[in-house]
């Protein structure tokens, strides 16, 4: 009987210790979760600040993971088969959302996937454009990373873009890179994927203007 009582006591002690340990881990996780998440956002934002340089900070927005996961299907329906959204963050000044940074990929670069980042204000103006990654040919398609090409996107309305070889005259036109039509097409296609994502999720009613 004494042995059974000892086993019961030991079991109860073990249960209590385990419960306290689990509770402590839960508290630590709750305390550290938000700083870790914000640190991860800040790391991503270092890349994106190039396309929204006057942003005070960046944050995730409601349903962002779901919207990104479903982006390939949405973009295919819009005519951008194979394109997908890599990332999207809200841009904040104070507590107000002033725009979005959207990273998108086209699979149709000369060297495969070509990823861009686009900054778009809540009133539908492109703040900036940058190539995040590419496999384009050095001295030809790689010119998509140079300011002569990337600077063309800034201050244009966030509507579907086209490239031209005869000199851009319309608000939605981009001058093609000489001798690198495939790279130009992929960069423009990825930018348009980001624009479609913006139009689909944010342009109609500028949701979540005050953020969370």
């Amino acid at each position: 009987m004494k042995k059974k009582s000892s086993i019961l006591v030991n079991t109860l002690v073990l249960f209590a210790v385990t419960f306290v340990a689990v509770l402590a881990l839960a508290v630590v996780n709750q305390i550290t979760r938000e700083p870790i998440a914000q640190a991860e956002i800040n790391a991503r934002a270092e890349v994106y600040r190039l396309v929204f340089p006057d942003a005070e900070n960046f944050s995730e927005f409601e349903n962002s993971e779901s919207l990104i996961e479903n982006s390939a299907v949405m973009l295919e329906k819009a005519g951008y088969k194979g394109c997908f959204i890599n990332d999207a963050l809200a841009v904040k000044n104070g507590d107000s959302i002033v725009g979005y940074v959207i990273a998108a990929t086209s699979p149709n670069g000369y060297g495969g996937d070509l990823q861009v980042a686009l900054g778009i204000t809540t009133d539908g103006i492109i703040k900036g454009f940058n190539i995040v990654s590419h496999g384009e040919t050095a001295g030809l398609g790689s010119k998509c990373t140079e300011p002569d090409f990337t600077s063309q996107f800034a201050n244009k309305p966030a509507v579907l873009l086209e490239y031209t070889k005869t000199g851009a005259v319309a608000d939605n036109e981009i001058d093609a890179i000489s001798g690198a039509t495939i790279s130009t097409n992929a960069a423009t296609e990825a930018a348009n994927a980001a624009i479609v994502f913006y139009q689909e999720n944010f342009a109609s009613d500028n949701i979540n203007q005050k953020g969370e």
Side-chain angles (χ1 to χ4, degrees):
M1 190 71 169
K2 186 175 181 181
K3 185 175 181 181
K4 289 183 179 180
S5 177
S6 178
I7 291 172
L8 179 60
V9 169
N10 289 338
T11 301
L12 290 173
V13 169
L14 180 61
F15 174 80
V17 170
T18 302
F19 177 78
V20 170
V22 170
L23 184 62
L25 285 173
V27 171
V28 170
N29 182 61
Q30 188 66 30
I31 293 172
T32 59
R33 181 187 303 167
E34 187 171 338
I36 290 173
Q38 188 59 50
E40 196 268 338
I41 290 172
N42 291 342
R44 287 146 62 192
E46 287 305 307
V47 176
Y48 301 148
R49 203 170 290 280
L50 292 171
V51 299
F52 221 118
D54 54 352
E56 290 182 4
N57 54 72
F58 299 82
S59 70
E60 293 183 334
F61 50 87
E62 187 178 357
N63 299 326
S64 59
E65 289 186 10
S66 175
L67 293 177
I68 291 169
E69 286 175 4
N70 296 325
S71 65
V73 175
M74 182 270 290
L75 290 171
E76 182 171 356
K77 289 179 180 178
Y80 294 91
K81 184 177 182 180
C83 294
F84 57 92
I85 302 302
N86 302 85
D87 199 6
L89 291 174
V91 180
K92 285 187 173 181
N93 284 345
D95 292 329
S96 296
I97 293 178
V98 296
Y100 299 89
V101 171
I102 303 165
T105 293
S106 164
N108 297 315
Y110 189 82
D113 285 356
L114 187 151
Q115 184 185 153
V116 310
L118 213 64
I120 305 176
T121 66
T122 52
D123 56 354
I125 301 297
I126 298 173
K127 287 285 286 185
F129 167 92
N130 191 48
I131 302 293
V132 177
S133 63
H134 70 92
E136 305 309 281
T137 305
L140 287 174
S142 66
K143 290 181 178 179
C144 66
T145 64
E146 296 178 0
D148 283 349
F149 181 72
T150 60
S151 63
Q152 297 184 81
F153 293 78
N155 301 315
K156 288 187 176 295
V159 297
L160 295 183
L161 303 169
E162 299 176 359
Y163 65 88
T164 176
K165 299 179 181 180
T166 58
V169 292
D171 283 346
N172 70 325
E173 289 185 335
I174 299 296
D175 285 327
I177 302 165
S178 179
T181 303
I182 293 175
S183 300
T184 301
N185 179 70
T188 307
E189 183 177 55
N192 280 338
I195 290 168
V196 168
F197 184 84
Y198 167 82
Q199 292 175 338
E200 181 74 16
N201 296 296
F202 310 121
S204 60
D205 56 4
N206 292 332
I207 60 172
N208 295 332
Q209 291 302 296
K210 291 297 180 182
E212 295 180 289

